[in-house]
Amino acid sequence: MSVRAGLGIDAGGTYAKILAVSGAGRTLGRSRVATLPKRGPRAFVDRVSRAVRALERRMGREAGTACLAIAGEVDAEAGRLRHSPNIRPFEGYPLRGSLSKALRRPVTMHNDANMAAWACFAVELKRRFPNVLTVTLGTGVGGGIVLGGRLHTGSTGSAGEFGHARIRYEGGDPCGCGARGCLESCAGKYGIERLARRLLLERPGLRTPLRAAASKGPLEPERIARAAARGDALAREVWRGFGRALGAGLVSLVYIFNPDAIVLTGGVSRAGALFLPETRRVMRADTWERPFTHVRLKVSERTDLGVLGAALYSLEGPA
Amino acid sequence: MSVRAGLGIDAGGTYAKILAVSGAGRTLGRSRVATLPKRGPRAFVDRVSRAVRALERRMGREAGTACLAIAGEVDAEAGRLRHSPNIRPFEGYPLRGSLSKALRRPVTMHNDANMAAWACFAVELKRRFPNVLTVTLGTGVGGGIVLGGRLHTGSTGSAGEFGHARIRYEGGDPCGCGARGCLESCAGKYGIERLARRLLLERPGLRTPLRAAASKGPLEPERIARAAARGDALAREVWRGFGRALGAGLVSLVYIFNPDAIVLTGGVSRAGALFLPETRRVMRADTWERPFTHVRLKVSERTDLGVLGAALYSLEGPA
């Protein structure tokens, strides 16, 4: 009972995962509650704290510290969500303070991609490399930064927003953020769909089941990945295009950080076999050899990096 | 005599500056020797160590530690220059070890832009901000990174190469590094000249003294800056275009690092009045407010940042 334990809570738009880990990273218990953004942040805090108490009763012990990972722009100092497209009703509410009071323990609060980056550094790569970047590929493109074995969350909590680095300055496609030419405008979910629709227009003679699908509704990355896996030429071209755009983004990150490793995570990273050859080709093409031969590029198989990173990070130093 | 002193040596293609500072950053003495790359690294080490001994005789004391800042890709661990277009004959030579032996003291060796970044953090901004980026604007575009008050030189010593971040993925102009679409291909010396020549072609009716100058030889940034300062419309357009490209690069850095401050240095930064309004306009246009309202953008007036940073950094912890 004397061994330290950490508690992670990872709140996305639909669910909040809860995980208790030992200091060594062993799972002590798990739970999950619905986020239900529309019911508001107070109800969410109640739901989470009830689930945590139930989990701790089952575990027969309390976790000493907790960390809340959440999808959006986090004001870590104030413990509030500044901006979150998927959990808008929680914006501005003193989530950290409220949760800390309900759980009767110190709580820290961070962006979910930053916490995923901590898990990549601490678990995926077993703390073997001091300089690790994590790039999350999902609806949007995000990320996190560990340098010298320390998480860098930025001066106002927004570091690692790799998706809004400009890879197509002047003439780029519009991004969800309102700007143009962001990496996310090519490598985010809507960028992938846009590329597929553009190729469908450019190759009117090419037969592909995606053409019929595109006329009926949105083209999800998963559908394009399934088509590519079946050998569909257009779908394969989409993923090569995605790989090139991602490669341009990663080349920039290598020049900027000169990291030991870049770990790709998120739903879209599951299509790695389809885009990684092109991404690696782009990265190998660069003339500065050393940073590029040094860096490892890998895809994480884990789907619980956010909550795992939060649980582990709650054990790092003072809250 | 008991106060610690640090010694910085900043070797560029033409000169090596030498500076001794107190722990508080006060200048204790200066010297300078020719780099003379063609005479080889051993002669350079001899020349530097003679100059250091003469300087220390004048100062009446020895500096305890030294740091060599040098223009190029530095293998900080091995103490060698991996690659340097301007000091090619020194590549691969054990410069640090040789200098350490000649000076009979520990020597560290770092890229000059990284040392300039340390001076920006420690002197220009007086250690008031933990997260500071430095962007050097000269023949090329480089930089350095201080996060959490610590210099990040990268896993193999190449961090902060902001000039090779891709801002024009697909269809960008060629860069000196062999790739296309690097920030440097727009914001480096040759990028500025290329933009000027492109505008001269696109505006055949526009009268500007730059047209005659362009037919005679290279168009240096300084000449374009002088023309712009006199109100030349084409030259002013060049600097606005430069400001937009730089803005795209800085927007990316703000999303990636969420820094407290970005300091611009190097010869081209002297033209700040001509390009900063456009750079700031680009940075203000972004929709993520907090990181952009937080970050300070300033131009350093100092021209000795590399040697100053090296001298101060030699005093930071173990060699």
Side-chain angles (χ1 to χ4, degrees), chain B:
Chain B
M1 291 292 286
S2 65
V3 180
R4 288 194 318 153
L7 185 76
I9 302 145
D10 181 8
T14 312
Y15 287 104
K17 298 174 185 173
I18 300 169
L19 175 71
V21 297
S22 72
R26 197 165 53 82
T27 296
L28 301 173
R30 288 178 188 277
S31 187
R32 195 172 89 158
V33 298
T35 305
L36 302 170
K38 285 182 186 158
R39 295 210 194 152
R42 293 193 66 141
F44 172 75
V45 167
D46 286 347
R47 221 172 302 123
V48 168
S49 58
R50 276 197 306 274
V52 168
R53 279 194 295 270
L55 174 65
E56 292 183 330
R57 274 196 301 274
R58 288 200 303 276
M59 284 158 48
R61 62 179 290 184
E62 273 192 16
T65 52
C67 175
L68 173 64
I70 193 157
E73 193 193 350
V74 169
D75 182 343
E77 239 168 85
R80 292 167 197 254
L81 197 54
R82 262 197 218 104
H83 177 69
S84 174
N86 297 321
I87 323 180
R88 203 150 268 167
F90 293 10
E91 287 175 9
Y93 182 81
L95 261 184
R96 187 190 56 198
S98 179
L99 196 59
S100 175
K101 207 167 157 190
L103 293 177
R104 292 188 202 145
R105 72 193 76 181
V107 175
T108 51
M109 181 172 163
H110 289 287
N111 168 271
D112 57 348
N114 283 333
M115 292 299 96
W118 187 254
C120 283
F121 162 74
V123 179
E124 188 75 39
L125 298 173
K126 302 182 176 66
R127 298 186 192 241
R128 279 180 297 149
F129 306 107
N131 304 315
V132 176
L133 304 178
T134 300
V135 180
T136 56
L137 302 169
T139 304
V141 175
I145 303 164
V146 174
L147 294 182
R150 303 202 302 187
L151 184 73
H152 174 68
T153 59
S155 297
T156 65
S158 297
E161 288 294 344
F162 303 142
H164 301 290
R166 298 290 189 272
I167 63 164
R168 257 189 174 147
Y169 140 78
E170 293 186 331
D173 288 317
C175 179
C177 76
R180 280 177 175 271
C182 302
L183 174 59
E184 184 170 306
S185 75
C186 294
K189 176 179 157 178
Y190 299 106
I192 297 169
E193 175 162 3
R194 177 162 41 213
L195 177 57
R197 289 183 184 276
R198 198 168 280 163
L199 289 175
L200 283 169
L201 280 175
E202 281 171 19
R203 316 257 190 287
L206 194 66
R207 289 165 63 108
T208 161
L210 293 181
R211 203 174 296 278
S215 67
K216 285 182 202 139
L219 281 178
E220 301 284 336
E222 216 178 330
R223 182 194 285 266
I224 304 171
R226 281 198 308 269
R230 284 193 309 265
D232 184 86
L234 188 126
R236 295 181 79 91
E237 199 172 338
V238 171
W239 288 108
R240 280 196 300 273
F242 172 90
R244 270 195 300 283
L246 179 64
L250 299 189
V251 162
S252 297
L253 293 181
V254 170
Y255 276 120
I256 290 169
F257 288 101
N258 182 203
D260 296 304
I262 298 177
V263 184
L264 306 179
T265 74
V268 171
S269 72
R270 312 268 167 268
L274 299 166
F275 65 76
L276 276 176
E278 193 67 11
T279 301
R280 291 190 198 277
R281 193 190 58 75
V282 170
M283 294 176 75
R284 267 198 311 267
D286 261 70
T287 48
W288 279 52
E289 281 182 30
R290 194 75 187 97
F292 290 94
T293 54
H294 178 82
V295 69
R296 287 147 204 265
L297 176 62
K298 70 171 288 187
V299 175
S300 172
E301 305 284 325
R302 304 188 72 117
T303 56
D304 63 347
L305 286 166
V307 72
L308 178 61
L312 290 169
Y313 201 66
S314 78
L315 294 165
E316 291 288 315

Side-chain angles (χ1 to χ4, degrees), chain A residues 131 145 147 150 152 155-158 160-161 166-170 177 252 255-258 260 286-288, chain B residues 131 145 150 152 155-158 160-161 166-170 177 252 255-258 260 286-288:
Chain A
N131 304 314
I145 302 164
L147 293 180
R150 303 203 300 186
H152 174 67
S155 297
T156 64
S158 297
E161 288 293 344
R166 298 290 190 271
I167 63 164
R168 257 189 175 148
Y169 140 76
E170 291 186 335
C177 76
S252 298
Y255 277 119
I256 290 168
F257 288 102
N258 183 202
D260 296 305
D286 260 72
T287 48
W288 279 54
Chain B
N131 304 315
I145 303 164
R150 303 202 302 187
H152 174 68
S155 297
T156 65
S158 297
E161 288 294 344
R166 298 290 189 272
I167 63 164
R168 257 189 174 147
Y169 140 78
E170 293 186 331
C177 76
S252 297
Y255 276 120
I256 290 169
F257 288 101
N258 182 203
D260 296 304
D286 261 70
T287 48
W288 279 52

Side-chain angles (χ1 to χ4, degrees), chain A residues 55-75:
Chain A
L55 174 66
E56 291 182 331
R57 274 195 302 274
R58 289 202 303 277
M59 284 159 46
R61 61 180 289 184
E62 274 191 17
T65 52
C67 174
L68 173 64
I70 194 157
E73 193 192 351
V74 169
D75 183 342

